[in-house]
Amino acid sequence: MLNAVLAFIYQNLIEAPSYHLYLEAFLALWLFWLIRQRKKAEKKKRLTQEEEQLIINAWQPKPLVDEEVTNMESYDNGGIWGPITGRPGKTVEIDGEKYLNVATHNYLGLLDSQELDDAAEQCIRRYGVGSCGPRGFYGTVDVHIELEEKIARFLNLEETALYSYGFAAVASAIPSYAKAGDIIFADEQVSYPIQRGLAASRSSIIYFKHNSWENLQEELEKQRETDKKNAKKAKTIRRFCVVEGIYTKSGTMCPLKEVTDLCKQYKVRLFVDESISFGVLGRTGRGLTEHLDVDRKDIDFISGSLEHSCASFGGFIVGPSYVVDHQRISGLGYCFSASLPPLLAGSGIKALEIIEQSPEIIQDVQDKCVYMHQTFMNKLTFFRVTSHELSPLKFLSLVGSKVLAYDVIKDLIEQVIIHVKEHHKIALVQPYYLESEHELPLPSIRVSINRLLTYKEIDSIAAAIEDVSNSINLYDSVISNIPTQFEETKADMIKSYEAYLKWKQQNNGITGKEALEQDEVFEPLEIAEDSAPKKIADLHSRN
Amino acid sequence: MIQVGGHGQENPNVHWLGSRGMWFTYLVVMFALHLFLLSIPFLTIPLAWTFTNVIHNTCHFIFLHMLKGAPWEIQDQGAARVLTHWEQIDYGIQYTRTRKFLTIVPIVLFFLASFYTRHDAGHFVPNFVTLMFVLIPKLPQFHRVRLFGINKY
């Protein structure tokens, strides 16, 4: 038997052509060599002792806590303010002292509302304090579903995904759609959560000029040209566009209509973050889409937050079902984070009900936004309002910001804030930015609107800032801090200020707005055209 | 059961071919294919071997060297979108056990097919060509290389 097999094999080999035998021999040798190969990862060369020492010496240990973070903490707590007691509603109690609060986000003044407290209390009695798990893992409570449905109905969209933290919502929604190899067009002034989302997506990011849809069109056109050259690659790329309704970092308003049209035209998916504008803009508080009359069906998802106007906590993504449903399995902040505590969902529901039932509070807050804008425009000599008139966040930039050093502006503004705190009992804040921000904005004072502020109180805020600016000789500090290479600007500023003082003497008691308009140098910060005041006299007579 | 994120594996393609019992299953399926071909009446033994080899290599080429990405929603932010399955195995580390197994199998199969076809030139050509199709992309030098830009995107 064995002999027969061997004879068969032998016969076979004899008859085989020689090229075949050589090939088989080569393959067999190669197999033998392959089996003897070690894993590449194991083949690390051992370092000599000197080399090891070199690497050890070169190693610089990083601090356990990032320096950026420690700086921020010292700025927030140690610098100006002490610990806060009680809730930061219309007034805030710091170190036993009460201040008028325009530093925190509470646009509709719902934080002081008893109804929200009651709703939260009911939820605590029913469900306890926490939800004890992520949404997909025993953390879903009926109030979550109710809130999701309510938001979707409120915006007339199909589905909502509720996140437990506003920051996490947009930061995990973006990377759940955009992946490596995709392209995201984003406004250069998008907020930090969006920047985090963009970074986590690993897509290539193309920033376009702030609020410039013309620039966006240029970038889209450029991309279309590249795509034409390499149609095969273009087929595998998904394209997204990310904008904010009202920008958290500047208070400006997005030209959403044009952006939506462009996205449609160039087949780009559009994400809009309405954290600030939700509950403030539009006739009934449905946000920028209502204000500019944009069809919400053209937007792939709208992200928002309950932390700004709704006086609760958490973030949400709302849009068509086939878009939003995807996040329930791939939105990392949704899957791997404990869900929103039911009491906060409960107060979120109540807040939405209040907004739905009483659209007059939306009108009220918008009136006050415009009034505050006009008041700041008229009464502040050394600060320019750079935000949109309907924005609930007002950004006040110091004159000469363009030529001053970053730290100098920051210190000067801090001086103003400290004096306003001490002499006028008003809590102002300078928004803090991390140095790793994409476009680091210049330091400014951020005043956020609260519906409960009276027109008189708004006046008093403006008066306080103006009074402090004069009493600490802000103008002299600005002038003396201008670096030498800007001598010309300095001279121009001095000249225009003298002209302004002269004019003020002649027209005693009238605001300095017109004087400022005489000279462009005195308004070194460009302001958007649409933020110019309209009916000043009208607004003043209302008081 | 292959699960995304199970046991710390973000991409199941990295390890499932090297999981327990996989080699045995692989060989059993191949053997079943061969038995099936042998059971077809008009196929001679040499033809059945050549068909086994060609079918095996074709599947091998399509699933390991042509299709890219992974069939799951994996949480690597699209890193595997540009990689074939072969390139994803063991995070791209060369000469691992799984890689060796997957290289040895087509070669041994080629030996067998050559032997049973009695080194016939007509059978040699399809057997050898398909073998080259599955061996060349496996060489470490061809890791993440797309010859002539084929299958690049």
Side-chain angles (χ1 to χ4, degrees), chain B residues 93-111:
Chain B
I93 298 169
Q94 297 296 333
Y95 305 121
T96 57
R97 287 166 67 236
T98 317
R99 279 175 194 274
K100 281 178 186 172
F101 172 75
L102 291 171
T103 318
I104 291 165
V105 166
I107 294 178
V108 171
L109 195 59
F110 173 74
F111 285 160

Side-chain angles (χ1 to χ4, degrees), chain A residues 179-181 201-202 238, chain B residues 10-14 64 66-89 91-92 144 146 151-153:
Chain A
K179 310 274 175 187
S201 75
R202 306 205 186 182
R238 289 171 291 198
Chain B
E10 60 180 18
N11 181 1
N13 265 355
V14 168
L64 282 181
M66 210 171 90
L67 296 178
K68 288 186 286 186
W72 305 276
E73 177 69 35
I74 51 176
Q75 289 170 343
D76 65 346
Q77 282 305 317
R81 266 166 85 185
V82 292
L83 298 177
T84 62
H85 188 173
W86 173 261
E87 286 157 347
Q88 292 170 40
I89 292 172
Y91 300 102
R144 304 188 76 149
R146 302 280 178 271
N151 202 16
K152 193 171 175 188
Y153 300 111

Side-chain angles (χ1 to χ4, degrees), chain A residues 136-255:
Chain A
F137 203 75
Y138 305 113
T140 300
V141 172
D142 57 357
V143 279
H144 292 134
I145 294 166
E146 196 186 330
L147 178 56
E148 285 185 344
E149 280 171 359
K150 213 167 179 71
I151 294 169
R153 259 207 316 278
F154 183 63
L155 291 175
N156 198 17
L157 286 164
E158 287 170 17
E159 200 170 326
T160 314
L162 187 66
Y163 283 74
S164 43
Y165 182 27
F167 192 107
V170 70
S172 38
I174 293 172
S176 74
Y177 302 105
K179 310 274 175 187
D182 297 333
I183 294 177
I184 308 179
F185 299 89
D187 191 290
E188 61 184 7
Q189 284 209 6
V190 288
S191 60
Y192 200 61
I194 297 181
Q195 288 174 35
R196 292 286 86 206
L198 295 178
S201 75
R202 306 205 186 182
S203 315
S204 24
I205 317 294
I206 299 176
Y207 284 108
F208 59 90
K209 287 205 187 88
H210 180 53
N211 269 351
S212 159
W213 59 269
E214 293 94 341
N215 190 234
L216 172 62
Q217 188 166 22
E218 276 167 34
E219 296 292 348
L220 288 167
E221 197 55 54
K222 254 191 240 164
Q223 187 54 39
R224 186 171 267 190
E225 287 305 310
T226 357
D227 286 351
K228 265 186 199 157
K229 277 178 205 150
N230 198 343
K232 258 190 184 167
K233 186 181 183 184
K235 254 186 177 174
T236 64
I237 299 175
R238 289 171 291 198
R239 293 161 196 80
F240 303 91
C241 177
V242 184
V243 290
E244 274 183 87
I246 282 194
Y247 286 86
T248 320
K249 268 158 73 176
S250 61
T252 45
M253 189 187 277
C254 173

